[in-house]
């Protein structure tokens, strides 16, 4: 079995694959006080069957902690995309090192799983909107603040707006403060997605498929009119493809 790990800014997204089948996913809070306990609990059933581990990370200071926890629990050394492994996607950014490895992993997964040229919208701590072209080249992207950051800013920088949980609003027009904020988040960010995607398609990739992923994808994705597919586990699937190619 393959353990795939996506270390993000807010949480660590994990997946266990048996061949091409994703058997289990789980998330661990980024600042968990006991990573070993979290992994031991979640991997217990599969522990003896894990053959290899592959990681992508956008949080350098967390990577070593996760690697150490995995080594302690599984006895396996982790392979890290960008350090030990290449994504397989040609990176056309002016400074390739500025592109988070998770974005290249997403590009690889979208290209192979959903038919070539794609726009990937990742609703995470930050929102990234990236293009992979017909030659499996990452040609660039857009970065915007994510829903969680935006809600934090609203509650921190205003006197009367509370911190709320993000969930499906009752409608687009709120009748009280919390519902108005939820409508703003859900409809606002889905409209951001649609607006940018339409502009990107018009200029760069008219026939690209639009794949929505990330921690908020299940919640916001259904409101994105341009979305062709919602796949919260896209990064994990991309890691599996990279590991499969290289026999990790």
């Amino acid at each position: 079995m393959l353990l795939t790990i996506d270390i993000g800014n807010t949480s660590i997204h994990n997946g266990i694959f048996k061949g091409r089948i994703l058997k289990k996913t789980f998330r661990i809070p980024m600042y968990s006080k006991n990573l070993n306990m979290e992994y031991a609990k979640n991997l217990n059933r599969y522990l003896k069957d894990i053959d290899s581990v592959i990681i992508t990370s956008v949080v350098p200071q967390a990577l070593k902690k996760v690697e150490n926890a995995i080594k302690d629990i599984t006895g396996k050394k982790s392979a890290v995309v960008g350090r030990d492994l290449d994504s397989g996607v040609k990176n056309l950014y002016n400074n390739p090192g500025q592109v988070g490895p998770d974005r290249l992993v997403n590009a690889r997964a979208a290209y192979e799983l959903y038919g070539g040229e794609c726009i990937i919208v990742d609703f995470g701590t930050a929102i990234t909107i990236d293009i992979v072209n017909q030659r499996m080249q990452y040609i660039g992207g857009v970065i915007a603040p994510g829903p969680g950051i935006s809600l934090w800013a609203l509650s921190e920088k205003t006197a009367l707006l509370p911190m709320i949980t993000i969930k499906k609003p009752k409608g687009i027009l709120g009748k009280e403060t919390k519902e108005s904020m939820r409508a703003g988040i859900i409809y606002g960010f889905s409209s951001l997605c649609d607006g940018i995607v339409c502009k990107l398609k018009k200029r760069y990739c008219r026939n690209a498929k639009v794949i929505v992923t990330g921690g908020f994808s299940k919640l916001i994705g259904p409101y994105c009119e341009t979305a062709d597919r919602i796949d919260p586990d896209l990064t994990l699937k991309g890691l599996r493809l990279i590991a499969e190619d290289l026999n990790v």
Side-chain angles (χ1 to χ4, degrees):
M1 284 185 162
L2 172 70
L3 173 61
T4 57
I5 303 174
D6 174 22
I7 304 174
N9 289 291
T10 303
S11 66
I12 304 167
H13 191 198
N14 305 268
I16 302 171
F17 286 87
K18 183 176 183 180
R20 297 184 177 185
I21 305 301
L22 183 56
K23 302 292 289 186
K24 177 181 179 177
T25 65
F26 60 95
R27 287 184 181 269
I28 296 173
M30 169 52 61
Y31 298 105
S32 171
K33 294 181 179 179
N34 195 329
L35 279 176
N36 283 45
M37 182 185 71
E38 294 277 6
Y39 274 111
K41 176 180 67 177
N42 282 286
L43 296 177
N44 180 50
R45 178 181 172 186
Y46 303 95
L47 203 54
K48 67 180 186 300
D49 298 316
I50 292 174
D51 303 308
S52 52
V53 183
I54 183 170
I55 299 176
T56 183
S57 174
V58 297
V59 188
Q61 63 269 35
L63 176 58
K64 194 63 181 176
K65 293 179 181 178
V66 173
E67 285 189 278
N68 288 340
I70 292 300
K71 187 68 162 52
D72 289 344
I73 299 302
T74 69
K76 304 296 181 182
K77 183 179 178 181
S78 303
V80 180
V81 176
R83 185 191 72 190
D84 309 313
L85 303 172
D86 186 81
S87 67
V89 176
K90 178 70 173 177
N91 185 352
L92 300 185
Y93 228 48
N94 290 339
N95 183 345
Q98 292 181 347
V99 181
D102 60 325
R103 296 166 75 181
L104 299 177
V105 173
N106 283 345
R108 171 70 183 275
Y111 181 90
E112 292 204 20
L113 297 176
Y114 298 112
E117 187 176 49
C118 288
I119 297 174
I120 305 103
V121 181
D122 190 335
F123 286 111
T125 306
I127 296 172
T128 57
I129 304 177
D130 298 309
I131 299 177
V132 57
N133 68 16
Q134 292 175 341
R135 291 180 286 178
M136 205 164 73
Q137 296 171 323
Y138 173 86
I139 68 172
V142 176
I143 303 174
I149 290 174
S150 298
L151 273 181
W152 174 85
L154 278 176
S155 65
E156 284 289 315
K157 302 300 181 183
T158 61
L160 299 177
L161 297 181
M163 190 64 189
I164 63 170
T165 56
I166 303 176
K167 61 182 182 180
K168 182 178 178 180
K170 295 177 181 177
I172 191 169
L173 188 65
K175 297 294 187 179
E176 51 92 18
T177 298
K178 290 183 179 181
E179 277 302 311
S180 295
M181 292 173 70
R182 289 188 179 106
I185 291 294
I186 299 299
Y187 288 98
F189 282 106
S190 60
S191 296
L192 178 148
C193 166
D194 290 337
I196 293 176
V197 163
C198 286
K199 288 178 171 62
L200 291 175
K201 278 193 166 188
K202 185 175 180 180
R203 182 163 182 177
Y204 296 103
C205 50
R206 190 170 298 276
N207 298 316
K209 291 183 179 178
V210 179
I211 314 302
V212 174
T213 190
F216 290 103
S217 60
K218 284 185 178 180
L219 187 57
I220 301 176
Y223 295 85
C224 298
E225 295 178 2
T226 55
D228 293 302
R229 187 69 177 258
I230 300 169
D231 188 346
D233 301 316
L234 187 71
T235 312
L236 303 180
K237 293 174 182 177
L239 289 171
R240 193 267 301 167
L241 288 167
I242 295 167
E244 185 180 73
D245 280 358
L246 300 171
N247 294 315
V248 171

